[in-house]
Amino acid sequence: MTSSFNVHDAAGYEQLMGRWSRKLAPKFIDFAGVADGEKVLDVGCGTGSLTFALADAARLEEIAAIDYSPVFVEEAIRRNTDPRIKIREADACVLPFEDRTFDRAFALLVLHFVPEAGKAVAEMRRVVRPGGVVAAAVWDHLGGMPGMRMMVDTVAALGEGGRALRARYCSQPMMQPGEMKRTFVEQGLANVMETELMIRMDYRNFDDYWAPIGAGEGPLGKYVATIDAEERARTRAAVRDAYEAGRPDGPRSFANVAWACRGTVP
């Protein structure tokens, strides 16, 4: 098991996170860098948010994209119309590429779902040429995602199961300040730099927020799928109350922060 992220349906993932990944991707590319003529690897491509943004960012020679989930790989292949992009199912901790194949290797919103995150960084370093760049970004679940913390804190107040969810959600790998930077250094990368990237998640109404979670997508949806119908209804009502915050249902906007890190292969 090399990913702790659960996905059932590509459309559900898009509503849960894909739309926000697309907003974050250009900011991440600006931070990580990219140049015409390069070969770039996207590790944990999901439905293609970063993959397709890379295709628009520069005249790249080749874009390889891998993901552990066959659901994601199938959807990304279905969407792809660019002959430079090659997508396949693979393990971030055992990349199916020769040493020094790429100019850059990127992982957007992936490493915090990889139990052996350090091994994934080592693999990215292995497949990038000397002088090339390895870069990654992860959401700051503990302190940088108030829209999601709104739910986990609400369910934590409802019972022990919710408290266990919050403990897991807020303690995933790579999310503490400096943690990803230390991992990059430990894996032999040089000139390592860490920063924060911010986008806003804008919801039309509570149903827009809740639908993919209620359908079982992602770590919060996985929790909802484990509770019985009565507890699910109680949870939904409590989270809706938190979302509305004493105002009529409607649009809400949440700032969301990701940690981003890059380093150079010696």
Side-chain angles (χ1 to χ4, degrees), residues 72-110:
F72 284 153
V73 170
E74 181 182 355
E75 179 64 12
I77 290 173
R78 186 188 69 80
R79 294 181 177 191
N80 183 36
T81 59
D82 193 321
R84 296 174 298 167
I85 297 173
K86 306 299 181 186
I87 304 162
R88 62 193 290 188
E89 187 177 338
D91 185 339
C93 294
V94 191
L95 293 173
F97 304 105
E98 298 294 325
D99 296 359
R100 305 182 178 191
T101 298
F102 299 98
D103 298 290
R104 302 175 195 261
F106 296 158
L108 179 65
L109 306 178
V110 174

Side-chain angles (χ1 to χ4, degrees), residues 43-247:
V43 176
C45 64
T47 53
S49 298
L50 177 60
T51 306
F52 301 133
L54 283 166
D56 293 335
R59 292 189 293 274
L60 298 175
E61 178 181 335
E62 178 185 334
I63 304 165
I66 67 102
D67 202 281
Y68 191 70
S69 166
V71 175
F72 284 153
V73 170
E74 181 182 355
E75 179 64 12
I77 290 173
R78 186 188 69 80
R79 294 181 177 191
N80 183 36
T81 59
D82 193 321
R84 296 174 298 167
I85 297 173
K86 306 299 181 186
I87 304 162
R88 62 193 290 188
E89 187 177 338
D91 185 339
C93 294
V94 191
L95 293 173
F97 304 105
E98 298 294 325
D99 296 359
R100 305 182 178 191
T101 298
F102 299 98
D103 298 290
R104 302 175 195 261
F106 296 158
L108 179 65
L109 306 178
V110 174
L111 292 184
H112 49 327
F113 294 112
V114 179
E116 296 181 286
K119 190 172 182 180
V121 174
E123 276 291 275
M124 292 168 71
R125 178 188 185 276
R126 178 184 66 78
V127 301
V128 170
R129 63 167 175 82
V133 172
V134 172
V138 302
W139 290 124
D140 178 6
H141 282 187
L142 180 64
M145 296 193 78
M148 298 298 124
R149 279 298 302 268
M150 175 183 70
M151 174 171 171
V152 296
D153 288 337
T154 297
V155 299
L158 295 179
E160 185 59 37
R163 286 191 289 275
L165 167 68
R166 182 171 63 183
R168 292 192 302 272
Y169 186 80
C170 294
S171 61
Q172 289 175 272
M174 304 289 103
M175 297 191 310
Q176 299 302 308
E179 184 179 2
M180 193 159 39
K181 183 176 182 179
R182 287 192 298 273
T183 300
F184 272 44
V185 172
E186 289 168 358
Q187 298 304 328
L189 292 162
N191 307 314
V192 178
M193 177 185 297
E194 186 177 78
T195 192
E196 299 175 17
L197 305 175
M198 193 274 283
I199 66 164
R200 297 198 73 89
M201 293 184 178
D202 299 302
Y203 298 96
R204 297 187 303 274
N205 50 39
F206 176 71
D207 285 342
D208 188 33
Y209 171 91
W210 179 260
I213 297 172
E217 297 294 342
L220 304 187
K222 184 177 181 179
Y223 167 78
V224 170
T226 66
I227 58 180
D228 62 33
E230 182 179 350
E231 185 63 18
R232 193 174 303 127
R234 187 167 79 107
T235 297
R236 184 182 187 280
V239 175
R240 179 172 188 137
D241 184 62
Y243 176 91
E244 293 179 352
R247 298 167 52 205

